[in-house]
Amino acid sequence: MGDLTHLLDANRVWAANVEREHPGFFERLRHGQKPSILWIGCADSRVPANEIIGLPPGEVFVHRNVANLVVHSDLNMLSVVEYAVTALGIKDVVVCGHYGCGGVAASMQPAQSRLVDNWIRHIRDLARLHREELEAITDHDTRFRRLCELNVAAQAINVNLSPIVEGMRRSGHDIVVHGWIYDVADGILRDLSPLMDAEMILTPEPRAIAKPAH
Ligand code: CO
């Protein structure tokens, strides 16, 4: 603990291996990046972006935070998305959540006085929109998994509806947002794109917002 020399040593070995297997690899990357996808994922150590889709350095532009949230006012995330779609010309955006997500689990517990409770409040709000469906699931683990899925769909929709992405589309750029969920128990990714229906996910009850009476 404290002394991380072994990691610096491991890095030398890794770089030498990469160079041996792919001569000129780092020289090519020195000239710039041209990643093919933007990955917005959870900070969880079990879900390393490049590794689980088998892509080397240079292929994936990454933003990670607790519970892979896409919050309209998060300048950090928005700056990443903007740079990815405008400067790097990325067309495919992946929002990847995972089963067993600690942020989602925390949102199912009573709130505490922690900073992170402000962050996961976004998941609580989402759970409230889907209270009927979630409460009907009696098995806790099944309900937890479902909320992890709903969270992926909601965050992917948030990217889809962001002014940056909408603006790029208006100027003729086809940007596709994908919602994926990763199972830390088997290492498999599943495509949740069929769940990405903004009306169903963000406003599941059509009459939730009542019209003012005249
Ligand atoms: Co997580």
Side-chain angles (χ1 to χ4, degrees):
M1 210 175 74
D3 180 9
L4 299 183
T5 313
H6 62 291
L7 295 183
L8 299 177
D9 293 342
N11 162 256
R12 298 296 171 99
V13 173
W14 170 79
N17 283 340
V18 171
E19 192 55 36
R20 192 170 50 246
E21 284 167 28
H22 309 279
F25 181 83
F26 294 107
E27 175 58 22
R28 281 192 295 279
L29 286 190
R30 189 169 73 86
H31 298 292
Q33 58 172 332
K34 194 77 187 86
S36 52
I37 69 166
L38 164 61
W39 177 280
I40 299 175
C42 183
D44 193 301
S45 65
R46 297 166 295 178
V47 197
N50 286 61
E51 226 166 312
I52 61 174
I53 49 175
L55 288 178
E59 288 298 324
V60 190
F61 199 61
V62 176
H63 177 81
R64 291 168 70 180
N65 62 38
V66 171
N68 44 271
L69 298 189
V70 174
V71 176
H72 314 300
S73 56
D74 177 359
L75 288 178
N76 183 355
M77 177 276 303
L78 292 172
S79 302
V80 171
V81 172
E82 182 180 72
Y83 190 75
V85 300
T86 61
L88 296 174
I90 289 176
K91 301 268 190 285
D92 288 288
V93 181
V94 171
V95 173
C96 183
H98 65 105
Y99 294 118
C101 183
V104 175
S107 80
M108 296 171 77
Q109 303 296 324
Q112 299 176 40
S113 315
R114 302 168 303 188
L115 194 56
V116 74
D117 284 284
N118 295 282
W119 184 248
I120 58 177
R121 172 67 188 269
H122 296 289
I123 314 175
R124 289 187 203 283
D125 290 344
L126 178 69
R128 199 170 57 244
L129 284 176
H130 295 269
R131 188 163 59 193
E132 216 169 292
E133 179 193 345
L134 291 167
E135 281 181 353
I137 304 171
T138 49
D139 177 62
H140 178 270
D141 196 51
T142 309
R143 189 193 296 170
F144 179 21
R145 289 172 73 87
R146 182 59 178 167
L147 185 52
C148 289
E149 293 170 354
L150 290 171
N151 185 45
V152 168
Q155 309 314 326
I157 290 165
N158 286 345
V159 177
N160 243 337
L161 299 179
S162 69
I164 299 163
V165 169
E166 288 196 325
M168 287 298 283
R169 285 193 181 124
R170 268 197 298 277
S171 54
H173 296 83
D174 290 327
I175 294 169
V176 182
V177 182
H178 312 258
W180 290 354
I181 195 155
Y182 178 75
D183 197 335
V184 292
D186 64 12
I188 300 298
L189 281 165
R190 288 167 182 87
D191 187 6
L192 293 182
S193 299
L195 251 191
M196 284 170 53
D197 178 320
E199 214 143 281
M200 263 179 47
I201 296 294
L202 302 182
T203 53
E205 293 163 56
R207 286 184 300 277
I209 302 168
K211 287 207 172 103
H214 290 289

